[in-house]
Structures are given as C-alpha cells and as structure tokens.
Amino acid sequence: MLPMQFKAASICLGVVFILAAVQAQENAMLQIPPSLVECYNTSFFMNRDNRLPANMDTLISLIEKVENNYATTGVQADIRTVAVSLLHRFRQDGIKKAPGINAANGVLPYSPTGFQFPKFRLLLSRLIPGNANSFPNSSLTSVERCSLHFMLSSTFDTRVRGDENTVCNQLSQYRAQRLPRSLKKDDSNNFIGDVEWLDTRPKRGGSSGSSSNYGQLAELDYETDWAYAGTEGTSQCPVEDGLVRTRWGTVSAGTVIAGIAAGVQQQTIQTNTLLALSQRRGRGRSQSQTSNSIDNRWAATLAGDLAEVALVQVPVSSGNAASVGATGGWNDTVLPHWYFLSERTNLEATDAEIRGGLDGLILAKNVANWRTQASSLKLSQLLRMYYSTNGVLSSGVNACSRQSLFPTVAPSQEMEAQTAAFAQVLEREMQLRVTIDPTRIPEFAGNASLSLVTYVPVMDYFPTQQWSDISNLTTVIANIYVFVDTYWPYSWVVDYVAYVLQGLNIHPYASNVTIFAASDASVIVNTTEYITNVYEEWNSTSHFWHPTGFNLPLILDTVTRRVEDLLDVERATDNLGGRSLVALLVPSPISYVDEQDYDYCQRYLDRLRWRLPNLQFIYYGGGALVRFHDFVRNPSKDLFLLNTERPPESCGNPVIARIRQVPRRLSNPRCYSNGAITEFGTNFLPQFARLGTINFYRLDSLYLPGRQSMRYLKISPISQITFTVCTSRSIELPFRNQSAPLRAEESCESTALGSYSYDLTDACVGYDFEPCPPLFFSVQAQGFGDISCTLDACQTPDETQYLVGLNNLGCNSATAIKLAVATAVYTILLLSLA
C-alpha cells in the first residue's frame, strides 16, 4: 500500500509542476501568440523574398546576435538559456491558413491546426520546460525575428499555387536523372536532391532580354499570402517550412535546437505522469505500455516524428505499413526560400525531419559530455562545429557522419520503446481521423521504427571533400570591400556575390564586409560582421537606388581612405592588424576604365603598392577580363569570370580560394599617417587557430627600413600545445608539409621548447638595387590536444591561442609622402571636374 501511495504522490507532484509549466508557455496555446503576430498580420513576410535565406550560416549569425546581446544585459547566455528561449520565443509548429478566409480587423486567418502542433505542445509544456521572459527582443529586427520563426517552425503549405506544372515536373525530371535513389522508394515518389536547385526559368527580376541561361526556380511573388494563383486544393508538390539548408542536406532546424535544449536539461518522465495529465482532460482510457518512462531527448527528436507516423499514417495505411522520408528541392542553393516536396502524402517524417531528428539526437546525447570539456560552450559554436568538416571539439562527430552514427546513437530497440511510449501520450493529445485501440500503438510504433532503420542507411550520400590547396586549412579573417556595378540586374548578380561572402567567415571577431556601388562609391551595405545584415540591406530596391557604372579612380580613392581610417583606429588601439585586406571589384560585362583614367590608375596603384602593400585587388566580373589586366598584381590569379550561364558555385569557388590565400596583414601601429615614428617598442597581437589549422601572415618591408637592433618577430604559445612556425622571404604561403622536404627559401621550427623568435635586425640591409621582400610566415597548430577557449574571440572552444609579438618595427616615410601627393593630385582632379 505504501509504495502505491508514494507512486500516486509522485504523479500528483509531477502534474503540479507540469501544469505550472503549461501556464507559462504562450507558444503552446491554441492560437498565434502575441509575440508572433507581427509575422502574420501583414503580407510582407508571406513574400519569402522579404525573409532571410534559410541556410545554416543565417541561423548561426542570428543566434550570435542574440548571444552577444544577452551579454550586454547581464543575463548568463549559456547554451541552455539560449536554446530554450529560442524554442519558447519563436517556434510554433503546425501553423496553417484557414481555407477561404481572408484577413480582417482583429482576425488572422492562421492558427496552429496542423498535425505537428500537438507534439510541439507536449514538448514545450511538459518535456522542455522554460520560457523566453528574458529574451532580448531588441537584439533582432522584425525581419530577423520573423525569419527565425519561419526557420524553426515546422509546417506544410499544401495549397495549390498555380505553378505546379513547372515545379512538379522539374521534381519528376530530377527523379528520373537520379536512378540510385529509386531503389529506396516506390515510383510514386519524385526526387530531387536538396543539394541541387530547380533550374527552370530566370529568377524574378531578371531582364527578359537577357542571354543568361543560368536561371534558378523563380521566387513565387504573391502580392498577398492569400492571393494564391490556384484554387483551393492540395498541391502536387507542397511547400515544407521550418527548414534550413546545409552542405550535408536540409534539416528541420527546430528539431535540432529542441534536441540540444533537451540534452542540456535531460529528464526522464514516467509515462504514467504524462498520461495522468491527459486523463485530467477527460480522455483517460486503459493503455498498453512498453516503456515506463519517456526520455525528452528522444521525444524532441526521432521518437517524436516516428510517433506521428505511428498515429497519423500507419493506422490508415494498407497492411499498417509505415512510409518515412519525403524528398524535395530548394528554389535556390545560395539564397534558399522555398523548399518543394516531391510528394503530397505520408509527410509525417520527411527527409529534412529525419536529418534534423537524427542530428538533434546525436547532439542531445553528446552535449552534456562536450560541456564538461568546454564549460562555456555556446549554441552558435556547437552548430558551427557540428555542421563543419572538423566536427565537435575535434571528435569527428559532425553532420556528415550522422548515418554512420545512427546505429550507435539510436539503437532500434530503444528507438521502438521510446516511440511507443511517446505515441501513447501523444495519442491523448491529437484529434485523429480514426479511433485507435491503445493495444495496437506499440505495433504501429514498431512498424514506424523499422521503416526508419531501413531508410536511413540509404537516404543520403555525401562524398568526402578532398582539399587540394593548403589555404583550405586556414580560417579567413579579413576586411572585405566589395564594389558592385549596379548595371548588373540584382537578381542576376546577388547569388554570385552572396555565395562568395558566405565562404569568407562573416562573423563577429572574424571577417567584416562593406558593399559599395562601383559608380559613385556610395554605400549599399554598411560595414558589418553579420552576413544577415547583407541580406537585409542589399535587396532589389536598394540595388536600384544606386547609379550604374564603374569608376575605378573613385574606387581606388575610396578604398585608400577606408584603409587609412582603419589604420587610424589601429594606431589609437595599439593594434597590429591581423586581418587580410581585400578589395573585390564586380564589374559588369560593359564596365571599363576610361582611357583618360588609365595611366592615372596604373600610377596610383603603383604608389598604393608601396604604401598599402597588403591590400589585394581582385576582379570578379563579366565580359573579357583582359581589360583589367593592368590593374592587378597577378592577372593569372586575380581575375575571375562571373558567368551567369554557370552556377554560382562554379564561379565563386575559385574566388573564395584566392581570398583564402591572401595572408593576414601585420602593420606597425606606432607609425603615423605621414610615415614618421616617434617611439620604438613592442606590440602583441592575440591570435587563435583550431587544432590542425594554419594561419598565414605577411609583414611588409615597409616596417623594416635600415638596421635596427632588437628588431624581431616572436610567436609565444598560450595554449599548452605545440605550434610549427614557418618563414620565407619569397614563398607567400610557407608551411610544413610532413610528406615532403622543405622547399628552398623556406624554414620551419617548432615551439615545443618555448617561444619562437625570428631576427629582423638586418632584414632589409643590402637591398640597395632591388626591393626588400616582405616576411611571410605561418603558424600551424598541432592536430590534437586538450583545449578549451572561453574568450569571446574564439569561434569554437577548441581554438588554440598564441601571441604574435613584434619589437622595434620602423616606418618608411618616403612612401607615405608619395601616396599623399598622389591623393592630393586626384582630389584636385575631382574638384576641377566638378
């Protein structure tokens, strides 16, 4: 009798806590919560062009904004706080539009009526407790808030759009081209790999007179959300929401975040406790149980989706068979907004949901251990590591390995038991089309689990990426100045430029970017370290505002002034620099340098190479690029064709690779703008590198004039690992290749015995009849070690730390005077023209 009393008491106590949690979750209510109304009370966000692109880099950038803002409010923004608050603030699954209902005063034609909502409600109210009371809403704009909501909230839009003949036919054609995939599914499923796009017609906004053959599926431009071109009905290829695109397949982002949130506050709840709460709502019945408890990590990920399959699909299928997986494709691989499914039935566990569920479960089962290794682990850091080739904390656990990890992280017996247990609870919360005998639920759950076990091993194939260039082992940290000739139609050029920027690590404490119009150097995108700001500020409207054209003299002057302003800031903060300097020019096919400006630009660049030798100009444009041959240092390396007949990846990858090869700049902050120096001394620059990666640097001879005693470079490890430092006066990217001997003019030393020093006393002595070469050097971190970086500047916790020290650097005032004269001449020229 006593054990029964304790059991009853525990159930009652659990119910009390759960009821208290339910009352705190506004997203778990049966309507659109007030915090999300802004995303539905206007047609603005129903035009998906007005949302941010749904890719993982966007999601990470938004999370970084939130994390950095939390820090300013005094709230401890640990991974649990951020993950839980994101779910409770932005996620609400199953939102659908009421058929035939238009918006009216006080009436939104939207409500969470989809089959996904009951599961979501269970998770938020009973299994992932918390709230978003302290969430810093001001850290995000309305566009960012609503984009985040749509990226995290799972639902389907099955309405007929009117474009089915085009879109659905393309899905069918791709299925025919990908024969191996047909082995997995029956002929009713049309396939397109979600790493591809649907190329059917030019994107919206392109000129009809264009000769471009490269066109991605057009953005569907509905003036209002409820003005679909078709009639009420079910589309042959519905739209799936709540997804983000990654290099390793599209995933359900809300499920991934939920898995992490459950993992950092893992709890196992007695099934009877949850059933008792349902019984209080008047649906109590006898129940067959296969598991006494529910693990919230399973319920938030794979078991949750499989329970929907077991309840919604299996009872009404022939022979109670289960079908999991539904493929689809994005309208655009660079700026994805629409994800079209290849089928319209059996959508309870799509490919994206399976990937998201498996990723979420992998992260949920490992995050507690990873936090013991890196106690300050952030949500953005965890996502960045997992969706990378290196994996989390150099463990090798990443998205690419999800299929190989599946048998270990999701044993079939455990998966079936968790699915059956959660399905028993979920059945009490769902309004199903049929009434299910509770004793059949374990059988249905077993069918769903078995279907997943056979599907996951053949679901995806991601070949191992082979690196052919040493620069792929470095992390880009650069100041990037982009000049775009707005003669390019926005819809043509945006993918090609955005793809390059996505590969340049635009994040806090990493790279930043400024975008200008190439005609008048007016700013299109203000300097930012968030890629999301680029998407918000550069759009078809802002692009149209700026005049067309390409004015190279003005571009050179603008870049020079911007870099000089940057150097002034570094002088004020005693900063050695540590970023590459890149000017990326994007001329249109008709852009050219006026004959009257030709000689002037060449002379200007000659002088600029003396004063700002680390500034790298790269052209990424249309037409015959030989016309810019005389305005780059190395035409074979610095001229790249932007061909709109080819995909952005094939045009942009060589540009990214070239920018990765530009060494990080080191300068002397003790030099005044006139080239004079009043005091010698030592300056240090903290630097970071993930295990096994390498950073390249350039110290120009501008700072090594004459003979100066005690002038040297010093690399001092902070982390307790070994670094290899390689130097050269002629090889731009020196490094230690373990499989080959050192090259001539290259030397390497280890820091195993302490700091590394390089004598610069006579670095430029003896160069009387030829230019003194710069010093190129690299710092390579060993590939293993016990590392935990807690500084804000660390993009991941497994980054090593070291100091770059430079003592008694000098200045060359002569070059500064030459550049000042050139700048003055150009200023006079502009004034005379005006």
Side-chain angles (χ1 to χ4, degrees):
M1 183 67 181
L2 192 59
M4 288 299 294
Q5 291 175 337
F6 278 120
K7 183 176 181 181
S10 64
I11 292 176
C12 292
L13 186 60
V15 169
V16 169
F17 285 122
I18 291 172
L19 281 173
V22 171
Q23 294 170 355
Q25 318 306 328
E26 68 170 17
N27 285 26
M29 298 297 101
L30 298 174
Q31 60 275 326
I32 304 291
S35 59
L36 297 179
V37 166
E38 65 176 335
C39 305
Y40 292 91
N41 62 2
T42 171
S43 62
F44 181 81
F45 293 114
M46 298 308 149
N47 179 352
R48 296 173 187 238
D49 254 350
N50 294 327
R51 306 177 195 172
L52 299 177
N55 54 45
M56 183 54 68
D57 201 40
T58 299
L59 180 60
I60 291 174
S61 184
L62 292 176
I63 292 173
E64 282 180 321
K65 277 192 174 184
V66 172
E67 291 170 337
N68 292 337
N69 194 274
Y70 261 125
T72 64
T73 63
V75 176
Q76 183 65 33
D78 59 16
I79 189 171
R80 189 199 69 81
T81 300
V82 176
V84 171
S85 64
L86 284 175
L87 290 177
H88 288 270
R89 172 62 178 83
F90 293 106
R91 184 178 175 186
Q92 188 178 54
D93 293 350
I95 297 177
K96 298 180 72 69
K97 183 184 179 296
I101 306 298
N102 292 333
N105 185 23
V107 177
L108 289 179
Y110 291 92
S111 185
T113 58
F115 71 84
Q116 303 96 332
F117 181 71
K119 179 192 73 176
F120 164 77
R121 191 181 190 192
L122 271 173
L123 292 177
L124 249 64
S125 61
R126 306 177 197 175
L127 296 172
I128 306 179
N131 57 65
N133 295 339
S134 63
F135 186 85
N137 286 294
S138 61
S139 63
L140 303 176
T141 66
S142 61
V143 171
E144 292 168 334
R145 290 194 298 267
C146 289
S147 297
L148 195 51
H149 161 62
F150 289 115
M151 280 190 279
L152 296 180
S153 304
S154 297
T155 191
F156 299 106
D157 192 338
T158 59
R159 291 173 291 169
V160 175
R161 300 178 303 274
D163 65 349
E164 277 74 12
N165 286 340
T166 301
V167 176
C168 304
N169 286 341
Q170 278 298 111
L171 288 167
S172 179
Q173 291 171 21
Y174 268 97
R175 176 187 175 275
Q177 295 170 13
R178 300 290 293 270
L179 293 179
R181 186 59 177 258
S182 66
L183 297 176
K184 309 168 202 173
K185 309 274 282 182
D186 59 43
D187 290 340
S188 65
N189 296 319
N190 300 327
F191 170 73
I192 172 175
D194 61 27
V195 295
E196 298 181 285
W197 61 91
L198 313 183
D199 50 340
T200 59
R201 60 179 186 261
K203 291 180 66 181
R204 179 167 55 81
S207 169
S208 59
S210 164
S211 61
S212 172
N213 293 326
Y214 172 74
Q216 297 184 359
L217 187 70
E219 294 282 355
L220 305 180
D221 188 13
Y222 304 121
E223 292 300 324
T224 65
D225 171 52
W226 37 87
Y228 266 49
T231 59
E232 293 291 347
T234 302
S235 172
Q236 293 292 328
C237 45
V239 174
E240 184 175 4
D241 282 318
L243 311 179
V244 297
R245 184 181 182 274
T246 80
R247 289 169 53 190
W248 296 276
T250 297
V251 301
S252 172
T255 304
V256 174
I257 303 298
I260 296 171
V264 294
Q265 52 180 19
Q266 191 269 332
Q267 58 178 332
T268 301
I269 301 178
Q270 292 297 312
T271 308
N272 283 339
T273 302
L274 296 173
L275 290 174
L277 183 60
S278 295
Q279 289 168 357
R280 288 170 63 96
R281 296 185 176 187
R283 293 195 60 192
R285 295 183 286 130
S286 60
Q287 197 80 17
S288 172
Q289 297 182 26
T290 57
S291 176
N292 293 325
S293 60
I294 293 175
D295 186 332
N296 67 337
R297 299 173 301 178
W298 275 98
T301 56
L302 287 182
D305 287 328
L306 291 177
E308 291 175 332
V309 174
L311 297 176
V312 178
Q313 178 194 133
V314 175
V316 298
S317 66
S318 176
N320 297 137
S323 175
V324 300
T327 60
W330 289 99
N331 68 307
D332 190 319
T333 57
V334 181
L335 304 174
H337 288 98
W338 293 81
Y339 187 80
F340 300 101
L341 289 165
S342 61
E343 54 195 276
R344 58 178 179 172
T345 60
N346 296 340
L347 302 180
E348 294 76 24
T350 66
D351 278 22
E353 289 177 320
I354 292 171
R355 292 192 201 97
L358 184 49
D359 287 353
L361 186 61
I362 292 170
L363 292 167
K365 288 196 169 185
N366 286 280
V367 68
N369 178 52
W370 290 329
R371 291 186 78 191
T372 64
Q373 302 175 49
S375 59
S376 61
L377 178 65
K378 298 179 182 178
L379 178 59
S380 61
Q381 293 176 327
L382 179 58
L383 293 174
R384 177 178 289 115
M385 290 187 291
Y386 184 76
Y387 292 99
S388 74
T389 55
N390 295 328
V392 181
L393 300 178
S394 302
S395 64
V397 175
N398 59 8
C400 188
S401 63
R402 68 167 70 96
Q403 284 165 286
S404 62
L405 293 172
F406 176 59
T408 303
V409 77
S412 57
Q413 186 174 359
E414 182 183 3
M415 179 166 58
E416 182 176 343
Q418 286 293 318
T419 300
F422 187 69
Q424 292 167 12
V425 177
L426 182 60
E427 187 267 341
R428 301 285 185 90
E429 305 294 325
M430 297 188 76
Q431 182 63 57
L432 300 171
R433 290 188 297 162
V434 297
T435 300
I436 301 176
D437 181 348
T439 62
R440 298 293 304 279
I441 291 179
E443 175 191 344
F444 297 160
N447 292 348
S449 300
L450 179 61
S451 181
L452 186 68
V453 169
T454 58
Y455 185 69
V456 168
V458 294
M459 181 175 66
D460 291 316
Y461 171 66
F462 302 109
T464 303
Q465 198 159 7
Q466 300 296 326
W467 304 115
S468 58
D469 193 290
I470 188 62
S471 64
N472 285 299
L473 292 178
T474 192
T475 300
V476 179
I477 296 184
N479 299 108
I480 305 160
Y481 306 97
V482 181
F483 293 83
V484 179
D485 183 353
T486 56
Y487 180 83
W488 285 109
Y490 171 79
S491 59
W492 291 13
V493 73
V494 62
D495 277 6
Y496 292 85
V497 175
Y499 181 81
V500 171
L501 295 181
Q502 289 171 2
L504 298 182
N505 195 24
I506 311 294
H507 288 285
Y509 303 101
S511 299
N512 59 56
V513 62
T514 314
I515 302 181
F516 305 86
S519 57
D520 60 358
S522 55
V523 175
I524 299 176
V525 178
N526 289 302
T527 302
T528 181
E529 54 191 12
Y530 293 102
I531 191 73
T532 53
N533 291 348
V534 174
Y535 303 141
E536 282 195 72
E537 296 178 28
W538 186 25
N539 50 52
S540 57
T541 302
S542 62
H543 186 87
F544 179 77
W545 285 342
H546 297 272
T548 63
F550 187 84
N551 188 333
L552 185 57
L554 188 55
I555 291 173
L556 296 178
D557 181 65
T558 301
V559 172
T560 300
R561 294 179 186 276
R562 287 278 179 159
V563 174
E564 290 290 0
D565 289 344
L566 177 65
L567 293 176
D568 286 341
V569 173
E570 291 178 354
R571 292 185 194 102
T573 57
D574 215 25
N575 191 337
L576 286 170
R579 283 185 167 91
S580 307
L581 281 176
V582 177
L584 180 63
L585 279 54
V586 189
S588 71
I590 66 169
S591 300
Y592 67 97
V593 179
D594 189 273
E595 185 176 355
Q596 295 178 345
D597 296 328
Y598 207 94
D599 290 340
Y600 171 79
C601 289
Q602 284 187 296
R603 291 194 300 272
Y604 194 106
L605 283 168
D606 287 341
R607 295 184 178 94
L608 199 60
R609 287 165 191 149
W610 282 99
R611 178 66 185 95
L612 300 174
N614 295 289
L615 178 58
Q616 185 73 43
F617 286 89
I618 297 175
Y619 286 77
Y620 178 40
L625 294 178
V626 66
R627 66 194 191 276
F628 301 111
H629 180 279
D630 295 329
F631 305 114
V632 292
R633 294 179 185 175
N634 191 333
S636 65
K637 290 185 176 182
D638 299 330
L639 299 177
F640 298 92
L641 179 63
L642 193 164
N643 183 354
T644 57
E645 296 183 358
R646 297 167 56 196
E649 293 86 348
S650 62
C651 294
N653 280 330
V655 181
I656 296 172
R658 177 66 185 101
I659 294 176
R660 295 181 71 90
Q661 294 170 357
V662 179
R664 299 184 186 184
R665 166 188 58 89
L666 293 176
S667 59
N668 185 4
R670 298 171 182 270
C671 290
Y672 290 98
S673 57
N674 62 2
I677 185 172
T678 59
E679 181 182 15
F680 291 98
T682 305
N683 294 89
F684 293 99
L685 180 67
Q687 291 288 272
F688 307 88
R690 292 192 72 177
L691 291 169
T693 63
I694 183 170
N695 293 330
F696 296 97
Y697 301 87
R698 170 178 168 144
L699 176 63
D700 199 78
S701 58
L702 172 69
Y703 306 109
L704 308 172
R707 188 179 193 279
Q708 177 65 46
S709 62
M710 294 299 292
R711 177 182 290 163
Y712 57 83
L713 161 72
K714 187 174 184 179
I715 306 299
S716 303
I718 298 177
S719 301
Q720 301 300 309
I721 70 159
T722 299
F723 296 90
T724 299
V725 183
C726 296
T727 59
S728 178
R729 300 299 296 273
S730 59
I731 301 174
E732 192 171 28
L733 302 177
F735 68 98
R736 184 69 180 97
N737 188 344
Q738 299 296 335
S739 60
L742 289 174
R743 294 167 289 183
E745 302 292 328
E746 181 181 50
S747 64
C748 296
E749 290 187 26
S750 169
T751 64
L753 299 179
S755 299
Y756 166 86
S757 293
Y758 185 92
D759 185 20
L760 296 169
T761 299
D762 298 318
C764 284
V765 173
Y767 290 92
D768 298 326
F769 302 102
E770 58 180 327
C772 177
L775 172 67
F776 299 106
F777 69 94
S778 67
V779 180
Q780 184 170 0
Q782 69 182 37
F784 58 92
D786 186 12
I787 301 298
S788 180
C789 183
T790 60
L791 300 178
D792 289 337
C794 293
Q795 288 193 288
T796 58
D798 60 346
E799 286 193 350
T800 62
Q801 303 172 61
Y802 58 93
L803 285 178
V804 175
L806 287 164
N807 192 59
N808 287 352
L809 291 183
C811 305
N812 191 333
S813 59
T815 55
I817 295 173
K818 291 179 182 177
L819 187 67
V821 172
T823 303
V825 170
Y826 180 67
T827 302
I828 294 172
L829 176 63
L830 287 179
L831 292 174
S832 64
L833 291 176

